[in-house]
Amino acid sequence: MGGEQVPDSWIGQRVRIITTVTSDRTAQEEATLLSLDQIGITVRREQLVGGGEEIVFHPWAHVYQLGPLAG
């Protein structure tokens, strides 16, 4: 994220996250931002298989872009 600040007001909101998968590939998802700290972010998203929800942690080193969904 290059030192950008993520507002605390985004916690509990739906956000779009682009993460670095490999040096030439990214992944995009939408999730609810649960928390953030110096290490990374924690989100709740729909499970990819089987329905339901899961809690996922993304370290800052893998977060390429993070932002609120446009209303």
Side-chain angles (χ1 to χ4, degrees):
M1 287 281 301
E4 293 181 32
Q5 296 297 314
V6 176
D8 287 337
S9 63
W10 291 1
I11 294 175
Q13 302 296 314
R14 296 279 298 170
V15 293
R16 178 169 289 121
I17 307 155
I18 300 175
T19 52
T20 303
V21 178
T22 63
S23 62
D24 62 346
R25 194 171 134 225
T26 60
Q28 178 176 304
E29 66 180 297
E30 293 179 7
T32 301
L33 182 61
L34 297 178
S35 66
L36 57 101
D37 58 24
Q38 299 87 353
I39 300 171
I41 63 171
T42 303
V43 297
R44 181 177 58 234
R45 67 178 187 197
E46 294 181 21
Q47 286 182 329
L48 300 176
V49 177
E53 294 182 329
E54 63 184 343
I55 306 298
V56 179
F57 175 78
H58 292 293
W60 285 121
H62 294 177
V63 178
Y64 178 74
Q65 188 174 24
L66 170 67
L69 296 179

